Amino acid sequence: MEKFNLKAKRPLIISGPCSAETEEQTLETCKRLAATGKIDVLRAGIWKPRTKPGSFEGVGIKGLAWLAKAREITGLPIAVEVATSKHVENALEFDVDILWIGARTTVNPFSVQDIADALRGTDKTILIKNPMHPDIDLWAGAVARLTNVGIDINNIGLIHRGFSHFGNSKFRNSPMWHLVVEMRNRFPDMPMICDPSHICGCSELLHEVSQQAADLRFDGLILESHICPSEALSDAAQQIVPEEMGELISSINWRADSVDSADYLKELDNNRQQIDQIDSELFYLLNQRMQVADKIGALKRDNNVAILQGGRWNNIVDKVVGSKKLNLSEPFIRTILEAIHLESISRQNEIMNK
Ligand code: PEP
Ligand code: MN
């Protein structure tokens, strides 16, 4: 098979079971996915890093033979997760086209270095999932460990699989899209692939998250599919059958980066000018607000009164949140007010202690 080119197709669609469980399940899933005509690469976990011991930990090296067979039958390249240098050796023996580093591995610089050392000299495609927790430097560090051993940067891609978070959320792993935007700013030419399966944790949300990734100009998707999701040995709730996967992929609208229409460009420019004007007024007002806060700080200092006055802040928040005139969500209002409050307190603190 010719060398896989990570940048040859956009969007790049990767799909396959969370885990290769049996030869039959692997081949059947891959054949049916290939039959949809919507899949570019087949994936499967062979070694599964599990949160709790005793869960299904993967079939190991024999699964590589099943995947290699699936590649032979379908003509599609194959991708597996590697977590140790031994996994890398095994994957390279089977000429696996794409090796990915999982979220539980990206968190550990020793493991990433071990994998990087084993990859030295390869021209395989390497995808790096974001670490479990929202730490962009750690993610970028993994990229650096690969390039430091001489891996061509054009053969490296990123996978956004969401971040673990505390508290309730409708997602298994919170997307925190803004962090991905930050990572893209650091590596603007590196393909960014979204993994809606691990973000959602359930099949119902897959479409919504996939479309959002398309709207944010991701370069592709990696999605899990199983011939009988309810019986899957790992990640049962988030997998869908191959035919449904074909429909899901077809339903995603990958919008154009831009269009060459004069009307569109004029209207866009007009709106952007308005936005720029409003932003400048917004910050002018914020600046004025801070100056008033500074005066209050001086007043409190001169009268030896504490910065925080019981109830006052809650009143401000309640008044804005309760306003019927604003078409703004409550979390948004609270975030903005909190940022203003923090800045205000820190300035008053400085004035008090001058
Ligand atoms: C997987 O892709 O099956 C997997 C284990 O993902 P993650 O590393 O994102 O948890
Ligand atoms: Mn999985």
Side-chain angles (χ1 to χ4, degrees), residues 18 43 48-49 81 100 102-104 129 132 161 195 198 224 235:
C18 175
R43 64 147 280 160
K48 300 302 295 179
E81 174 176 353
W100 88 78
R104 289 163 191 77
K129 286 199 172 197
M132 299 288 284
R161 48 82 75 202
D195 177 349
H198 292 90
E224 292 183 339
D235 291 352

